[in-house]
C-alpha cells in the first residue's frame, strides 16, 4: 500500500495516478470559506469542527489568499466561526476548548494581517459583527478570565495567555488596536494578578502574564483613562508584587547569563588567541560581535511597575529567595501560534533549571543589581537604533528610581552593601577590572559607576545627546538626595569629575559637528552645575575635608578646559544667533569655577617658580594653596 504524506492540509498518495486527499478539517475550512452556511447541510458542523485538530497553517493561508472584497463576501461565515469559537470555550471537553483557542488566534491574526494591505473593512465587524460585538467580546473575556482563574489545565491557561498576547500585538501601534476597547471594559487584571501571586502559576505563566500586563497598560495611556493603569498603581499585595519582581529578575538574569556565556566563549576562541599574539588593536571590533537579543518587553514591564506603583520600589531591594522560578511544565502544551515579536520568553534551558546562581563573590542579589548588570550590557553599544532605545529605557527606569525617596534610602544604606560586577566596554587604554577586587558598597555606588562608564565610553561621532542628558540628570538627582539628607558617601568622586571634564572637552572639540544636530549648551550647563553643586554644597555630602582638596585639584589641573569653555560660550553669547541665550547661561554658571581658578592659579605658579617645579603633585598643590 502506498505511503501517505501530510503536507499543507493534504493527504498525498505516493501514486501519481490518484488525486491528493484533503484532511477532514481542511474540507470543513473550505466550507467556511464559501458564501453558503456550512451548517445548512450538516447541523452538527460546528460541533464536529472543534473536535478536529486545528490546521493553523491552512486556515491562515486561506485568509491570506483572499482579497478584501472576497473576505467581505464570507463575513457572515467568519462571524459565525468566531462566535462558535467563543461558545466552545465554555465546553467541558478540553479538546474543544484547545481547538477553539487556536482557531481564534488564527482568525484574529489572519484578519488583521489582511487589513494591513487592504483597509477597506473594519476588524471588529469582520470578526464578530457590529451588532453582536459587545456581547460576544464580553463572553470571550469572561471565558478567558474563568479559564485563567480555574484550577484546571495549565496548558489551557498558557493558550489563553497566548491568545490574549496575539490579540494585543496584531497591530504595530497598540493604541490603534480598537478591539482592545473590549479588553478595557471587560478587565482580566485580577486574573493576571492571581497568576503572579501563585508560585505554581507564576512558574508556568509568569512571563506571559507580565508582558501582557505591560502591553495592556500602554493602550492609549495618554489619550483616555486606562483601567489597567489605575489598578496597577494601587496594587499593594506583597505576594503579587514580589511575584512580578521575580519574573522580571529571572528574564533579566537569563539575558545576563547568555551574554556572559557568549563573552567567555568569545574570549576563549580563535580570535582571542590571535589578539594575544598581535596585540589588542582589534579588541573593540571583536566585542561588538558579542550580541544577545535584548528583551524590551520585560524592560517595559519593569518601567511600568516602577513608574506606576510606589509599592514596587520595595521589591527592587529584596533578595531572590525563590529557587527554580521557571520549571518545565508538567502537562504538555498544545501547538500554539508563534510568540509575538518582542515578547520572547527565557529560553528552554533556563525554564528547566533552578534559579540562576549568583556571582561567586556575592552572597545575595536583588532585582536592582540584576537590572544594573543588564543595563551595563545594553548601554555599551548605542550605535544600533534598537539598542539605543533599550539604553534609553534603562536610563528612564533609573531616573524613576533616583527620584523616589524610599529607593534613595536603600540605595544609600550603609547596611546594604553589595559587590556589583558591571560589564565594561573594552577599551585600548584601560585593562579589564578583576571581578574579585570589587569592594562591597552601597548600591548607589554601582549606579554612579554605571553613569561614569556611560559618560566615558560614548563620546563619538553619532553622539547620543538624549542619553547623556538623562545620565547627568540621574547623577544630579542622587546628589540632591545626598545634600538633602547629608549622606557622606565614600565614593571615588574623582572618577566622576574627570569624566565630566572630559565630556566638556569633547563638546568643545566637536563644537561645529555637534551644534549642527544638538544644543550642546544645555548639556554643558548641566555638567557645570554639577561642579557648582560640589563647590557650594560639598561640605554636606563629600566624605572628608580632603575631598574638597581633590575637587579643587582636579579643577585647577584641568583649568584649561574650563578656560576654553568660557571662551567658547562668551564668543557665541556675544553674537546674535540661535545659541546666544543658552550659551549665555553657561557663561554665568562658570562664575564659581573661574573664581577658584583665578584665585589659586597665581599661588600655584609662584610656588612652582620658587621651587623650580614644572608639574605639581596633589600634595604640592595643597601646600602651594595652603589647603
Amino acid at each position: 500500500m502506498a505511503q501517505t504524506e501530510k503536507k499543507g492540509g493534504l493527504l498525498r498518495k505516493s501514486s501519481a495516478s490518484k488525486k491528493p486527499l484533503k484532511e477532514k478539517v481542511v474540507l470543513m475550512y473550505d466550507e467556511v470559506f464559501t458564501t453558503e452556511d456550512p451548517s445548512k447541510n450538516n447541523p452538527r458542523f460546528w460541533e464536529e469542527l472543534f473536535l478536529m485538530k486545528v490546521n493553523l497553517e491552512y486556515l491562515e493561508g486561506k485568509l491570506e489568499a483572499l482579497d478584501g472584497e472576497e473576505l467581505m463576501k464570507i463575513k457572515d461565515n467568519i462571524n459565525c466561526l468566531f462566535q462558535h469559537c467563543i461558545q466552545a470555550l465554555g465546553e467541558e471537553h478540553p479538546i474543544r476548548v484547545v481547538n477553539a483557542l487556536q482557531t481564534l488566534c488564527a482568525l484574529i491574526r489572519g484578519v488583521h494581517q489582511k487589513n494591513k494591505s487592504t483597509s477597506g473593512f473594519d476588524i471588529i465587524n469582520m470578526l464578530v459583527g457590529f451588532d453582536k460585538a459587545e456581547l460576544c467580546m464580553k463572553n470571550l473575556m469572561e471565558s478567558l478570565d474563568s479559564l485563567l482563574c480555574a484550577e484546571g489545565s495549565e496548558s489551557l491557561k498558557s493558550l489563553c495567555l497566548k491568545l490574549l498576547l496575539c490579540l494585543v500585538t496584531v497591530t504595530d501601534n497598540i493604541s490603534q488596536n480598537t478591539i482592545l476597547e473590549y479588553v478595557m471594559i471587560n478587565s482580566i487584571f485580577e486574573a493576571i494578578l492571581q497568576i503572579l501571586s501563585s508560585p505554581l502559576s507564576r512558574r508556568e505563566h509568569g512571563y506571559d502574564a507580565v508582558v501582557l500586563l505591560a502591553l495592556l497598560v500602554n493602550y492609549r495611556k495618554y489619550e483616555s483613562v486606562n483601567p489597567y493603569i489605575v489598578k496597577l498603581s494601587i496594587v499593594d499585595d506583597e505576594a503579587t508584587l514580589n511575584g512580578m519582581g521575580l519574573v522580571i529578575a529571572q528574564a533579566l538574569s537569563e539575558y545576563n547569563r547568555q551574554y556572559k556565556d557568549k563573552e567567555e566563549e568569545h574570549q576563549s576562541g580563535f580570535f582571542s588567541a590571535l589578539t594575544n599574539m598581535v596585540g589588542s588593536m582589534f579588541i573593540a571590533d571583536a566585542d561588538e560581535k558579542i550580541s544577545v537579543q535584548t528583551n524590551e518587553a520585560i524592560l517595559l514591564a519593569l518601567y511600568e511597575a516602577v513608574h506606576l506603583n510606589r509599592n514596587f520600589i520595595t521589591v527592587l531591594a529584596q533578595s531572590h529567595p525563590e529557587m527554580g522560578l521557571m520549571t518545565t511544565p508538567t502537562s504538555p502544551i498544545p501547538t500554539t501560534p508563534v510568540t509575538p515579536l518582542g515578547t520572547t520568553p527565557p529560553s528552554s534551558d533556563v525554564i528547566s533549571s533552578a534559579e540562576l546562581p549568583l556571582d561567586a563573590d556575592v552572597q545575595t542579589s536583588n532585582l536592582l543589581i540584576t537590572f544594573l548588570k543588564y543595563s551595563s550590557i545594553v548601554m555599551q553599544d548605542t550605535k544600533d537604533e534598537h539598542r539605543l532605545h533599550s539604553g534609553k529605557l534603562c536610563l528612564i527606569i533609573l531616573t524613576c528610581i533616583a527620584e523616589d525617596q524610599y529607593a534613595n534610602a536603600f540605595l544609600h544604606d550603609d547596611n546594604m552593601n553589595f559587590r556589583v560586577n558591571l560589564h565594561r566596554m573594552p577599551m585600548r587604554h584601560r585593562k579589564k577590572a578583576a571581578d574579585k577586587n570589587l569592594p562591597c558598597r552601597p548600591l548607589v555606588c554601582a549606579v554612579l559607576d554605571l553613569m561614569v562608564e556611560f559618560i566615558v565610553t560614548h563620546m563619538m561621532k553619532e553622539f547620543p545627546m538624549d542619553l547623556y542628558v538623562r545620565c547627568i540628570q540621574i547623577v544630579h538627582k542622587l546628589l540632591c538626595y545626598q545634600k538633602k539628607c547629608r549622606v557622606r558617601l565614600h565614593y571615588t568622586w574623582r572618577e566622576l569629575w574627570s569624566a565630566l571634564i572630559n565630556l566638556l572637552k569633547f563638546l568643545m572639540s566637536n563644537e561645529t559637528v555637534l551644534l549642527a544636530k544638538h544644543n550642546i549648551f544645555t548639556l554643558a550647563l548641566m555638567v557645570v552645575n554639577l561642579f557648582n553643586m560640589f563647590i557650594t554644597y560639598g561640605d554636606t555630602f563629600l566624605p572628608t575635608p580632603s575631598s574638597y582638596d581633590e575637587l579643587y585639584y582636579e579643577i585647577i589641573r584641568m583649568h584649561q578646559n574650563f578656560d576654553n569653555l568660557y571662551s567658547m560660550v562668551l564668543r557665541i553669547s556675544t553674537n546674535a544667533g540661535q545659541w546666544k541665550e543658552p550659551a549665555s547661561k553657561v557663561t554665568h554658571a562658570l562664575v564659581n569655577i573661574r573664581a577658584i581658578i583665578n584665585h589659586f592659579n597665581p599661588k600655584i605658579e609662584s610656588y612652582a617658580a620658587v621651587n623650580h617645579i614644572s608639574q605639581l603633585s596633589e600634595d604640592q598643590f595643597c601646600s602651594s594653596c595652603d589647603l
Side-chain angles (χ1 to χ4, degrees):
M1 182 176 178
Q3 291 184 343
T4 304
E5 178 192 357
K6 181 179 176 182
K7 183 178 180 181
L10 303 178
L11 296 176
R12 297 186 182 276
K13 293 285 184 179
S14 58
S15 172
S17 60
K18 295 185 179 180
K19 293 183 179 180
L21 300 176
K22 290 186 176 181
E23 294 177 76
K24 184 174 181 180
V25 70
V26 168
L27 293 171
M28 298 183 82
Y29 289 155
D30 288 342
E31 291 187 55
V32 173
F33 282 86
T34 64
T35 55
E36 297 291 329
D37 180 0
S39 61
K40 184 177 181 181
N41 298 322
N42 181 7
R44 294 178 55 83
F45 178 86
W46 300 111
E47 294 179 39
E48 293 175 6
L49 178 63
F50 294 112
L51 287 173
M52 305 286 176
K53 184 178 179 181
V54 178
N55 189 324
L56 288 171
E57 182 183 356
Y58 187 82
L59 183 54
E60 290 188 30
K62 287 288 287 186
L63 286 167
E64 186 178 349
L66 300 176
D67 59 32
E69 188 177 337
E70 290 172 330
L71 200 58
M72 285 299 295
K73 289 179 180 178
I74 61 166
K75 184 183 84 70
D76 290 344
N77 281 358
I78 297 291
N79 290 171
C80 207
L81 176 57
F82 196 88
Q83 291 162 20
H84 278 90
C85 284
I86 296 172
Q87 291 176 17
L89 296 182
E91 298 277 351
E92 293 184 3
H93 202 303
I95 290 179
R96 290 181 184 273
V97 180
V98 167
N99 290 332
L101 288 168
Q102 292 183 324
T103 304
L104 284 170
C105 279
L107 278 177
I108 292 168
R109 193 161 55 197
V111 171
H112 270 278
Q113 286 295 328
K114 180 55 59 181
N115 192 45
K116 285 183 178 179
S117 56
T118 54
S119 54
F121 57 84
D122 188 277
I123 297 294
I124 298 171
N125 186 38
M126 177 55 62
L127 283 174
V128 68
F130 285 132
D131 54 337
K132 299 178 182 177
E134 190 170 337
L135 179 60
C136 283
M137 291 305 298
K138 179 176 182 291
N139 292 337
L140 172 61
M141 296 308 298
E142 286 179 352
S143 295
L144 294 175
D145 186 75
S146 298
L147 289 169
L148 289 172
C149 295
E151 297 290 332
S153 166
E154 297 300 326
S155 330
L156 287 180
K157 291 183 181 180
S158 179
L159 273 178
C160 288
L161 288 169
K162 295 296 182 188
L163 170 60
L164 287 164
L165 282 171
C166 181
L167 187 67
V168 171
T169 58
V170 285
T171 56
D172 294 333
N173 184 342
I174 191 172
S175 294
Q176 293 176 353
N177 189 353
T178 53
I179 204 167
L180 289 188
E181 287 294 335
Y182 299 103
V183 185
M184 297 293 118
I185 297 170
N186 305 284
S187 175
I188 52 163
F189 184 80
E190 286 70 22
I192 295 174
L193 294 196
Q194 183 174 314
I195 289 171
L196 296 176
S197 62
S198 165
L200 177 60
S201 292
R202 184 168 65 246
R203 290 188 188 100
E204 301 284 348
H205 319 295
Y207 182 87
D208 284 346
V210 165
V211 170
L212 176 62
L213 180 58
L215 292 171
L216 290 173
V217 162
N218 279 274
Y219 176 71
R220 296 186 177 175
K221 64 189 301 185
Y222 303 116
E223 302 169 26
S224 59
V225 178
N226 182 322
Y228 290 87
I229 293 178
V230 178
K231 291 180 179 181
L232 179 59
S233 65
I234 59 175
V235 173
D236 58 1
D237 180 67
E238 187 176 348
T240 302
L241 293 174
N242 286 342
M244 187 174 185
L246 285 165
V247 172
I248 294 172
Q250 182 68 45
L252 296 180
S253 293
E254 165 65 357
Y255 177 89
N256 295 345
R257 182 190 66 80
Q258 288 181 6
Y259 182 87
K260 189 172 182 180
D261 288 347
K262 282 202 172 186
E263 187 178 44
E264 290 175 353
E265 178 186 342
H266 183 78
Q267 289 172 352
S268 61
F270 169 76
F271 200 92
S272 177
L274 180 62
T275 52
N276 287 336
M277 289 188 290
V278 300
S280 59
M281 61 185 295
F282 300 116
I283 283 180
D285 295 333
D287 277 82
E288 284 180 359
K289 296 177 183 177
I290 301 175
S291 178
V292 179
Q293 185 180 356
T294 52
N295 194 330
E296 281 70 33
I298 212 70
L299 208 58
L300 179 64
L302 177 59
Y303 165 70
E304 296 298 353
V306 170
H307 175 63
L308 293 175
N309 193 303
R310 290 204 64 196
N311 298 314
F312 188 81
I313 294 293
T314 61
V315 176
L316 294 173
Q318 291 183 3
S319 58
H320 304 322
E322 186 181 39
M323 303 302 290
L325 178 62
M326 295 183 179
T327 56
T328 305
T330 52
S331 55
I333 298 179
T335 304
T336 58
V338 178
T339 305
L341 182 63
T343 60
T344 307
S347 58
S348 58
D349 58 343
V350 74
I351 291 177
S352 61
S353 65
E355 179 152 345
L356 298 170
L358 305 177
D359 290 353
D361 295 307
V362 182
Q363 293 183 354
T364 186
S365 184
N366 56 44
L367 175 54
L368 182 56
I369 292 175
T370 305
F371 170 65
L372 289 174
K373 291 180 180 180
Y374 177 92
S375 300
S376 70
I377 298 171
V378 170
M379 288 164 55
Q380 283 184 25
D381 179 20
T382 58
K383 294 178 183 177
D384 174 69
E385 187 176 1
H386 183 76
R387 286 180 174 270
L388 178 69
H389 293 315
S390 270
K392 181 178 178 179
L393 187 49
C394 287
L395 288 172
I396 291 173
I397 294 170
L398 283 172
T399 302
C400 293
I401 294 170
E403 288 175 341
D404 188 87
Q405 187 79 2
Y406 179 80
N408 267 303
F410 72 70
L411 280 175
H412 292 84
D413 191 344
D414 270 334
N415 298 315
M416 294 177 62
N417 293 329
F418 297 89
R419 185 177 288 114
V420 184
N421 178 26
L422 299 176
H423 292 263
R424 305 179 77 203
M425 184 183 292
M427 300 181 76
R428 298 185 187 97
H429 63 274
R430 69 179 182 186
K431 294 181 179 179
K432 186 175 181 180
D435 298 350
K436 294 182 180 179
N437 295 333
L438 294 172
C440 283
R441 303 173 298 171
L443 283 171
V444 67
C445 294
V447 178
L448 289 169
D449 283 347
L450 182 62
M451 298 301 100
V452 170
E453 176 68 10
F454 180 83
I455 293 171
V456 169
T457 57
H458 288 77
M459 300 179 206
M460 54 192 179
K461 185 178 179 181
E462 294 298 324
F463 189 69
M465 174 63 79
D466 186 31
L467 270 59
Y468 266 97
V469 169
R470 293 180 187 278
C471 181
I472 301 300
Q473 286 175 338
I474 291 168
V475 175
H476 181 257
K477 292 177 191 300
L478 295 174
L479 290 180
C480 287
Y481 176 83
Q482 292 168 24
K483 168 185 169 290
K484 177 183 176 182
C485 299
R486 295 182 174 269
V487 176
R488 298 190 180 277
L489 182 68
H490 288 274
Y491 182 72
T492 51
W493 292 110
R494 178 174 291 177
E495 292 184 4
L496 174 63
W497 300 330
S498 178
L500 293 173
I501 292 171
N502 285 327
L503 174 58
L504 290 176
K505 184 178 179 180
F506 175 82
L507 294 178
M508 289 183 288
S509 301
N510 297 273
E511 172 193 346
T512 306
V513 175
L514 293 176
L515 272 179
K517 299 178 181 179
H518 311 289
N519 177 4
I520 61 173
F521 302 106
T522 299
L523 182 59
L525 180 63
M526 294 173 70
V527 172
V528 171
N529 281 340
L530 280 184
F531 277 103
N532 284 334
M533 196 167 183
F534 279 105
I535 294 167
T536 310
Y537 302 107
D539 60 320
T540 63
F541 61 85
L542 286 174
T544 60
S546 63
S547 299
Y548 252 125
D549 299 345
E550 293 175 4
L551 172 63
Y552 280 35
Y553 176 73
E554 284 299 311
I555 291 175
I556 300 299
R557 186 174 70 87
M558 305 295 286
H559 73 89
Q560 192 63 52
N561 290 299
F562 292 107
D563 292 342
N564 292 341
L565 176 64
Y566 181 75
S567 299
M568 183 185 82
V569 295
L570 186 63
R571 166 173 51 84
I572 295 175
S573 63
T574 53
N575 297 320
Q578 68 177 118
W579 306 120
K580 179 181 175 67
E581 186 177 342
S584 178
K585 290 180 181 179
V586 181
T587 307
H588 297 314
L590 281 166
V591 169
N592 284 340
I593 295 174
R594 284 178 50 76
I596 292 171
I597 293 171
N598 293 334
H599 176 75
F600 287 111
N601 249 354
K603 293 186 177 184
I604 294 169
E605 290 172 0
S606 175
Y607 182 89
V610 170
N611 293 277
H612 306 289
I613 302 170
S614 59
Q615 187 71 36
L616 272 65
S617 67
E618 187 171 348
D619 291 338
Q620 290 168 335
F621 165 79
C622 293
S623 299
S624 67
C625 299
D626 299 323
L627 293 176

